[in-house]
Amino acid sequence: MPAKAIFKGQVFAISGKLSQPRKDHEELIRKYGGEVASSVTAAVTYLISTEDDVKSCSSKVASAQGRGVPIVQEGYLGACVAAKKLLDSGYFVVKGSKAKKRKAAPKGKAAAAAPAAKRAKAAEGPVTTTDKVEVIAKSGLADKAKVVLEETAKGFVKATLTWDVELVLNDLAAGKDKYYNMQFLANAEGSQFWAVQHWGKTGMGGTVHVDGPFDSIAAGKKVFRKKYRAKTGNVFGQIGATFADIPGKYRPLAKEEEEEEAAPGAPRRVKEGPGKWQYYLHNKVDGKKLGWYEYDEDAAENMEKYWGQFQRDAGLNVRLIQSDYFKYEVNFSDMIQRNTTSGMRRVIRRIAAGERPDNAAPEKIPEKAAPDAKPAESSDEEDEDMATADEDEPEEDEAAEEAAEEEEEEAAADGDEGEAAA
């Protein structure tokens, strides 16, 4: 006799470390007529999770809270099966999964609480986005969303916060050079929000992960802030705060300055075009003659990008750039490239737009260096986003983030122009 379809019409998502294998729960759900989703979409009716997962506010928990989806204990499934019907989930809701409520203000401060409530409501009001930042192409959202731009405030200091961050982890001693880019997006109506992450080894296309859509801007921001903190050890968007570099953590790249408009009557400033990149072949390879050779198109584009990063951050003078087959150590200060596998070193150069190159050989040809030892990095290193999804939130970080959120609420009612560093 087939099992009774007590979960018919219900869609479950699962999150956190459960007491039983996730596969067992999925089989049980399907056996009794339900469906299983890999993420919290609009179709999901229940999220099976744990108290620890709710406490750390994983992306699925944040999505469920934003959508108003009940977050229930794993025992809910067994209880429904035992009762042979879909039970009221209220008795199985995970502790702390409901949206936190602000503490009531003392009676003497009731008047002061009203403006705060008004600011909080305003924070969920109209959403501003910007056309000046390109949406991460591989997110698939370039045609439907833009990067969020908002006014924040702390006392008399006002600032503009762009929810777009480029992070880098450049640890030459550990043989690591990686990027982690983040964006918080909103659709044109300001009714749906996404948190996008794009990470990988420097030089490679990398991996993209999208959290959302969220119906609540607060839920989406919480996911963005949490992942930023996990990667950098810093709180995102605090006005006047100095970023603290932490060993083994990512740090933000300085943004490329926007070109200022020329004064009335002054000649229009022309932005320099991309440079041309070449390497000098000082030994015979595949029958090629000695001389200067241009990088292929993709490699040249990457070199120009990393050169630009070096111009904005002198600490990025040496990069470890990965290709499909090789890994290169590129020293932009000495303009030397080294193949880390063979140890071969070559002179490189950048030819500025409009400049005519000299075909003469370099004055000095670098000697071959010893190859690097084979790295011990695991093959799934690039899936690091998942490894930090369930990290607990230190109390001091939570307090700092609440302070940042309050700054946003204050600015929602009274914004002004300025500049804030992430």
Side-chain angles (χ1 to χ4, degrees):
M1 184 177 177
K4 187 177 180 180
I6 56 177
F7 296 138
K8 185 177 180 180
Q10 306 303 318
V11 181
F12 294 83
I14 302 174
S15 178
K17 298 178 181 179
L18 307 178
S19 63
Q20 297 182 34
R22 185 169 300 195
K23 184 179 178 181
D24 292 352
H25 291 301
E26 292 177 351
E27 290 177 351
L28 186 66
I29 292 169
R30 293 190 178 102
K31 179 180 178 180
Y32 287 91
E35 298 179 36
V36 179
S38 59
S39 61
V40 181
T41 65
V44 170
T45 53
Y46 294 96
L47 175 64
I48 307 297
S49 188
T50 65
E51 189 172 336
D52 287 341
D53 191 46
V54 167
K55 181 181 177 182
S56 65
C57 192
S58 66
S59 58
K60 289 183 181 178
V61 167
S63 295
Q65 290 176 327
R67 293 179 177 278
V69 174
I71 303 176
V72 298
Q73 305 164 19
E74 58 183 308
Y76 176 63
L77 297 175
C80 290
V81 171
K84 298 182 179 180
K85 65 178 182 178
L86 189 68
L87 298 174
D88 182 349
S89 62
Y91 296 100
F92 299 89
V93 171
V94 176
K95 182 180 178 182
S97 64
K98 294 183 178 180
K100 293 182 179 179
K101 295 182 179 180
R102 293 184 179 272
K103 294 181 178 179
K107 292 182 179 180
K109 297 182 179 180
K118 184 178 180 180
R119 289 195 301 268
K121 184 176 180 180
E124 288 284 345
V127 178
T128 303
T129 57
T130 176
D131 293 316
K132 294 182 179 180
V133 181
E134 290 187 11
V135 172
I136 294 172
K138 294 173 68 175
S139 69
L141 296 169
D143 295 333
K144 64 173 69 172
K146 296 178 182 179
V147 172
V148 171
L149 186 76
E150 65 181 342
E151 305 299 325
T152 60
K154 184 176 182 180
F156 295 104
V157 180
K158 312 291 183 181
T160 300
L161 185 65
T162 303
W163 288 73
D164 170 70
V165 180
E166 290 183 89
L167 305 175
V168 63
L169 176 56
N170 178 241
D171 188 344
L172 303 180
K176 292 182 178 181
D177 199 322
K178 304 187 291 182
Y179 63 90
Y180 195 96
N181 302 331
M182 304 175 61
Q183 291 182 336
F184 182 54
L185 311 176
N187 64 358
E189 296 76 22
S191 59
Q192 288 189 316
F193 308 90
W194 296 263
V196 181
Q197 308 91 46
H198 179 201
W199 70 91
K201 294 180 180 178
T202 297
M204 300 298 287
T207 301
V208 170
H209 177 78
V210 179
D211 292 301
F214 302 98
D215 296 329
S216 162
I217 190 172
K221 284 182 177 179
K222 190 165 188 176
V223 170
F224 183 100
R225 290 184 187 279
K226 180 177 181 295
K227 293 190 177 182
Y228 180 88
R229 184 182 66 254
K231 293 301 170 187
T232 67
N234 287 252
V235 175
F236 177 79
Q238 284 190 299
I239 299 177
T242 301
F243 185 88
D245 285 335
I246 299 176
K249 293 284 189 179
Y250 287 80
R251 59 188 176 91
L253 285 168
K255 292 289 186 181
E256 187 174 0
E257 293 184 3
E258 293 183 11
E259 188 176 354
E260 297 181 359
E261 293 185 4
R268 182 176 178 271
R269 294 185 178 91
V270 179
K271 187 175 182 180
E272 180 185 328
K276 182 186 296 182
W277 285 88
Q278 297 180 338
Y279 64 91
Y280 188 78
L281 187 67
H282 62 267
N283 60 323
K284 292 184 178 180
V285 177
D286 297 331
K288 292 182 179 180
K289 295 180 180 180
L290 305 188
W292 290 99
Y293 287 84
E294 293 187 5
Y295 283 73
D296 64 40
E297 186 177 351
D298 289 341
E301 185 177 340
N302 276 338
M303 289 291 284
E304 186 71 3
K305 178 172 67 175
Y306 305 136
W307 168 263
Q309 292 176 359
F310 166 52
Q311 299 305 299
R312 303 192 300 274
D313 187 338
L316 295 175
N317 60 317
V318 180
R319 304 302 300 271
L320 300 176
I321 303 176
Q322 185 77 45
S323 71
D324 290 333
Y325 304 104
F326 300 107
K327 183 178 181 180
Y328 296 93
E329 179 190 80
V330 177
N331 188 318
F332 288 114
S333 296
D334 299 336
M335 296 302 274
I336 298 291
Q337 168 185 293
R338 177 176 68 91
N339 184 315
T340 63
T341 301
S342 67
M344 179 58 70
R345 302 170 74 216
R346 300 193 187 282
V347 176
I348 62 175
R349 69 182 182 183
R350 179 183 185 271
I351 303 168
E355 182 182 340
R356 298 185 65 179
D358 182 356
N359 291 326
E363 294 182 3
K364 184 178 180 180
I365 301 298
E367 295 182 0
K368 186 176 181 178
D372 288 353
K374 188 175 181 180
E377 295 178 6
S378 62
S379 60
D380 61 349
E381 182 191 18
E382 302 311 316
D383 291 331
E384 59 178 88
D385 182 70
M386 298 303 105
T388 57
D390 298 325
E391 289 185 1
D392 288 335
E393 181 175 339
E395 291 182 4
E396 58 271 22
D397 285 346
E398 185 175 4
E401 289 194 357
E402 287 180 356
E405 290 170 0
E406 287 178 5
E407 290 172 5
E408 292 173 11
E409 291 176 2
E410 290 175 6
D414 183 23
D416 200 354
E417 304 248 342
E419 190 68 29

